[in-house]
Amino acid sequence: MVFKPFTHLARQSLGKTFTHGYAQSVVAATQSSYASSTTPFGPFSSHHAPSRFSKHGTSQIHTTFQHSSTTSGLASNGQHGSTSDASVADGGLAAYYEAWQKQQRNNGKVKEWKQFQFPLRIGWQAPSVALDGKKIDKNNARLRPDTVLERGGLDRAYSASAVDDIKKAEDVAAEVTAIAAVDEAIATEISSLQIDSLTSTGPTILNVTSSDTAFNEETAASTVSNPSSSSVESRDTTRSSQLSSPQSDDTARTLDSVQSENIVKLCNDERYVEIPAAFEALLAGGVKPSVEAYNALLTAAIVLPAVRHQVVPKALGVYTSMLRERVLPDAAFLTSLLGLLSRRAIDVYQSKTVLDVKRLRFGNLKADSRFFFRSDEGEYAILSEDDALSVAIKIFDAAVSTSGDRLLSSEAYQLLIKACALNGQVEAMIRIYSHLEKHNVTPTASMFPAMIEAFARPGDLRTAVECYNAYKDMAIQNDAGHAILINRQDNEVYAAVVKSYASCGKHDGGERFFTKVVDSLNSANDQGKERLQEAQDVIVTHGLVQQRLDAGQFMKALRIVEERSMTPVAHSKAMARICSAAADHNDAESATEAYRSVQAESSEKLTAALSMLALHLRNGQIERGRTFWSLLYGSSHFDVSLIEPTTMYATTLIAHGHVDEGTAQARIAFARMRAAAETSSIRDQIKEKIDEAIEIIGSSLAAQQTLPLAKASMNLLWAMIENNGPVSPVSEQLLAGLGPREIASFSHQDVVLLLRTEAEMISGGVFLQDVAHIARFEHLLDRVLQSSPPLDTMTVELVERTMKSIEAQHPEVVMKWRQACQMVEQRSNASMIDSPVAPIATDAIPPAYLDTFDPYAATFDHRGSNAILDELDNPRSKSAANLDGALSRVRNMRRVGRHPRYIVYAKLITAAAKEGRVNLIFDLLGMARQDVAFIPQYSSVRDGWSSILDSMIGACLTVGNRNAAADFHQQILQMGSAPTANTYGLYITTLKESTRTFDEAREAVDIFQRAKSEGVEPSAFLYNALIGKLGKARRIDDCLWYFSEMRAHGIRPTSVTYGTIVNALCRVSNERHAEELFDEMESMPNYKPRPAPYNSLMQFFLTTKRDSNKVLEYYSRMLRNNIQPTMHTYKLLIDTYATLEPVDMAAAEGIMSAMRASGLRPEAVHYAALVHAKGCALHDMVGARESFDSAMANPEVRPQACLYQALFESMVANHCVEDTEGLLEHMASKGVEMTPYITNTLIHGWAMARNVAKAQALYEGIGKEKREPSTYEAMTRAFLAGQERDHALEVLQEMLSRGYPSAVTNKVVDLIGHAVS
């Protein structure tokens, strides 16, 4: 591949250029080429900055080969043996001999005397088969200890949750030394190998030089964890003596190869844990390892570390040791090492990108726009210092300069090239690709998109197009059957080219290239269409849209997605990407518009909601943010990834005065994050993040310069205790605001928590001299001793420890505690009840006692609970007032240390849901968890919590949060209970509110069957909800079947049941059966008169049978049963008199007068009935307009869509559709929104006027979300009337994508003439 000066490479020239202003697609013919020879390359000159490649004390791999540490480590594993190396058996005399030789060379002059130590025996046998041929049995050969290959100076091993500790413990000087060692080793290898190539034709292993020896000694001094240098010197001396001895080279080479082969065998057998010790024994014996042995050691260094960030330093240590031993790395070694470094560089780039998004999204809450969490700031600083890519490039250049025929794998080339492309190392990227091309290595297609974007980033469009042309030529040959390209990625390459054109300001060229690609992929068969649609999705999303987002042109990106043809899933993902980017850059208009187009049930909806929440919180718009917080909170995937928005939401609430709500929401959210952890290590990481979040919340409280309320303080204290314990200084800050009045309002559990917190702080010695803490501790102790519930053992131990700390300064407090304990000891049988020690374990309590005993019965306020229930059920006042009064009673009750019964919490939650107060719902749940915590041993507690969770399910369904309802449903099932039948009825009745694109009747039946499977006895409400959904779907047979089942189970049908059945029968025009059931309803002894069944039959005879006598008959029966007519009843009467024969307009208008006489005000729907009757039935357009104007002139009538719809229908019926445009403007001026039914009427009118363009404009103006099935039908008829069959098919396709039942869509399908498969 040719980039800039490389026009001479062997395999093929990439001098293809672009003509006519755009690049050719892969399937297009090859165009003319040119060669660019500008910008010569120079040698690399970058230097390594201190990085995280080395840990403190572990910067070189040879530090793992110390005798003492290895021996002790192996002894612990039960591995014993003796060394088999003959060179070690000399007892260390070689060291003395080497010293004597050195003294002779210096003419007997020695600066100082030095004691030579004998090398220590190694209690381990390296090979699986000894040199004498005896087989050795190994135990636990596949163990993977966390500390293998680790000889650091720190005193403990690190886990993944201790990243912050590692950051603090790293020694920068050691890191600099480690990188310098790598650099110097590389330089030494280059120079030495170049000298060898000129002076010798022997093996490639280098000879020992004085400079290398100095380097080894310096490196060893700085990196070996054992300070004793005698063993290292002994090893070097032994080796030098062996090199100078007259021993046969063949014998030495045989010994070397046997031990190296044993190490390789360990690797092949996956016994990685034994490799480091075996390698250490090999080096200690003065044996030179083979390159295969080093490959095995590198594999062990990669596999063994349990912590990811330790892998790269250990691998670099292996490479440094290899160069020190004068062993030339082979292709396999370089492939593994460079692949590892490249992956590390790519991971660093991606991690920094994620952190940049976090800083932009959450950091703007602060004035300095830094990271919201300090841990993120520290992690970003460490990532910025990472130098894995620079090291990889130097190693690659060194390997190429010494032995250019050492090749990497295709994957290693791909990783290295991609890492260079992402980090802007274009020159290095070209060198690496040239080496790949020169040696005919088959490239991986995934490297080309990154290369194309890397060239285009500085504006070099020409070279980017050359890179694309190279890929195109390979793809053409690949299509011809030549395997010269791995894993084709045509669409991603197309997207990179289009993005490159746009980023270089050549939008027209990008569009032409896009068109060329579409034309080349366009095919008549289904497979070709699918491939074309997939290509369009990728190019639009990753090319056009991403470039606009990078340039900050969010509205343009939005328009691109709206104008391009994309699949619904890709369209939603693109809109979510736009929403997140626009919200992060404070473009609220673009973000809001894009958010509306994201699919409701998709995972992208949560991502978009997260960015929208941050946007509104940054701008202080709490009410708008609540909507998105509710969506995130109700999701089933509530994990630690939401720690930032949770903390941001809580601090914003606190900053705007909602302290109680902010702390309560944070506590509940933190608990859900911990519950979502799959392993203990992940849970530990989550706890560390939560501690940091609590510190931020505490800082937000301190910034308010006012003491938080008692409830908020307890919420935050409980959040700490439930996590990792008190967080300083937040806990001290909260305790400082709690005086006797606040403590008096707390429950016993809260007081015990405060006592334990104070005891820990005082016993720690920091606040021993603080008078306020001592006084608060004494007051809390008095409260606890005066209460009846016993203390647990841990609390008693903490109090005892505190008493020992304050015994000298405050003997009166200690005396009070001792006296209380003595009084308890003096009691006989009651001592176990009143003792401050924890009660007997529940597993020793008889089962009958557990079934009847309630641990919270002593703190229930039964009289207050009954008063609250009566107030909630009071029909003479508004429900909102009843709820506020009940809440006031609960607060007063809790202030004196008592609380209501379980059923009260359930009733309060239900009442809050009916009022739409979502936050209050979860606040009440938090109160219940605090006052009557769930204890599964007691049957009464389980029953009480079953009612509370059942009410939470119903409340979440009522407010439209079905995801949260599913979570609480799962909780109640885990308790061994199930929701009530009425709650399942709510599942059915709220289906319409959750979505409008599926078969509600089928879903209702599924919910009903699920209730039965969970052992729930159906109730009348559940049957009514099911029959209502079936009736709307015109499934009358199923309605009657469940109606008969209801009777068979002994459940009496209510008036609602009869009304629902009658309404369903009227929908299918079953007149006889409807009237029979209606008569049966009136004769039932438990009949409660309701107007709904009468209205149903009146409407049936009005619209279906067109029988005015029957309408008036049922109206008379309604009056005879003393049922007050409703507004709908009066509308039906107006329609009856005005539209049914004989027409009596005077009587119809008289209904309006009768309504006024009875104290009712006619509404817009009644005027609309008159307008419709005059305009459509009588074709009296003048009279219809007069009735409309009189309604608009009446100040008591609020303009509504039904009134405008009646006049629009009159205009269309009288062929006056041209006059509707002025009425549309009038409607907009009155603030009346367009409805799909008005749209349907106007589409029909313009279609009759042969103006399909007007009809289409109305159809597009209503928006996809508001379109009803009737809207699709009206637009389809309009297109068919205008002979535009293709557009009609597009409308049908959109309708089918909405998921409507086949009974609804078949009607439109039949219009076009197709059958539904």
Side-chain angles (χ1 to χ4, degrees), residues 302-333:
I302 295 174
V303 172
L304 289 178
V307 184
R308 187 179 64 176
H309 67 260
Q310 295 179 356
V311 175
V312 171
K314 293 182 184 300
L316 286 177
V318 174
Y319 178 67
T320 305
S321 175
M322 189 178 195
L323 298 183
R324 184 181 303 108
E325 298 296 331
R326 305 338 184 253
V327 178
L328 190 66
D330 62 359
F333 186 93

Side-chain angles (χ1 to χ4, degrees), residues 453-499:
E453 293 186 20
F455 286 126
R457 199 172 293 123
D460 190 358
L461 180 60
R462 174 171 297 181
T463 311
V465 174
E466 290 180 5
C467 182
Y468 164 74
N469 285 332
Y471 176 85
K472 179 188 65 177
D473 293 342
M474 295 179 191
I476 293 174
Q477 297 182 48
N478 188 263
D479 291 339
H482 303 287
I484 63 170
L485 195 61
I486 301 175
N487 297 330
R488 291 273 294 274
Q489 293 189 3
D490 294 356
N491 296 337
E492 287 73 11
V493 173
Y494 293 148
V497 174
V498 171
K499 182 180 178 182

Side-chain angles (χ1 to χ4, degrees), residues 598-835:
V598 182
Q599 291 181 354
E601 301 299 329
S602 63
S603 59
E604 294 81 19
K605 193 74 172 181
L606 297 179
T607 304
L610 174 60
S611 59
M612 292 296 292
L613 171 66
L615 168 66
H616 293 306
L617 294 181
R618 288 196 305 269
N619 297 327
Q621 299 169 338
I622 297 180
E623 295 304 323
R624 293 185 179 181
R626 289 183 196 274
T627 303
F628 300 102
W629 170 254
S630 300
L631 180 63
L632 293 173
Y633 184 82
S635 67
S636 58
H637 304 287
F638 198 93
D639 52 20
V640 72
S641 62
L642 298 177
I643 186 72
E644 287 90 357
T646 299
T647 310
M648 190 178 190
Y649 184 65
T651 54
T652 306
L653 287 173
I654 291 172
H656 288 78
H658 306 285
V659 181
D660 289 352
E661 181 183 358
T663 53
Q665 291 286 339
R667 178 188 173 189
I668 297 173
F670 294 155
R672 290 189 62 185
M673 292 176 193
R674 288 190 299 270
E678 297 178 354
T679 62
S680 58
S681 60
I682 296 177
R683 189 176 297 108
D684 292 339
Q685 296 178 33
I686 293 174
K687 288 182 178 181
E688 292 176 2
K689 275 287 189 182
I690 292 175
D691 281 344
E692 189 173 0
I694 291 175
E695 290 184 15
I696 296 174
I697 295 174
S699 301
S700 179
L701 286 170
Q704 300 303 307
Q705 297 182 351
T706 56
L707 292 176
L709 298 178
K711 178 182 176 182
S713 299
M714 285 311 306
N715 277 330
L716 205 52
L717 282 171
W718 274 111
M720 298 180 201
I721 299 303
E722 292 165 351
N723 196 55
N724 268 339
V727 178
S728 181
V730 182
S731 56
E732 294 91 329
Q733 170 191 342
L734 296 176
L735 288 173
L738 299 178
R741 180 180 300 177
E742 289 77 16
I743 294 175
S745 65
F746 293 149
S747 65
H748 175 74
Q749 293 91 336
D750 293 342
V751 176
V752 172
L753 170 64
L754 293 174
L755 178 64
R756 291 178 58 178
T757 305
E758 279 288 7
E760 289 181 0
M761 294 168 60
I762 295 175
S763 61
V766 179
F767 301 98
L768 194 59
Q769 305 298 328
D770 195 321
V771 178
H773 283 279
I774 299 297
R776 190 180 300 107
F777 174 78
E778 183 178 2
H779 179 73
L780 291 169
L781 186 62
D782 291 340
R783 278 289 311 275
V784 169
L785 295 177
Q786 292 170 7
S787 60
S788 57
L791 294 177
D792 59 277
T793 305
M794 183 178 295
T795 305
V796 173
E797 292 176 355
L798 280 173
V799 173
E800 286 287 353
R801 191 189 313 160
T802 307
M803 293 302 171
K804 294 178 182 179
S805 302
I806 65 174
E807 188 171 8
Q809 296 88 348
H810 305 277
E812 70 282 0
V813 180
V814 180
M815 184 177 299
K816 187 184 299 184
W817 169 252
R818 303 292 182 222
Q819 290 175 353
C821 293
Q822 290 175 2
M823 292 177 61
V824 172
E825 292 175 358
Q826 291 173 359
R827 298 176 184 175
S828 56
N829 296 330
S831 62
M832 291 303 297
I833 301 176
D834 296 334
S835 173

Side-chain angles (χ1 to χ4, degrees), residues 22-23 494 498 501 508-520 532 535-540 544 560 564-565:
Y22 63 93
Y494 293 148
V498 171
Y501 273 109
D508 294 340
E511 289 293 338
R512 287 194 293 271
F513 177 78
F514 190 8
T515 304
K516 191 74 174 179
V517 170
V518 172
D519 293 341
S520 64
L532 173 60
Q536 288 178 328
D537 291 344
V538 174
I539 295 172
V540 171
L544 295 174
I560 288 174
R564 302 288 178 172
S565 175

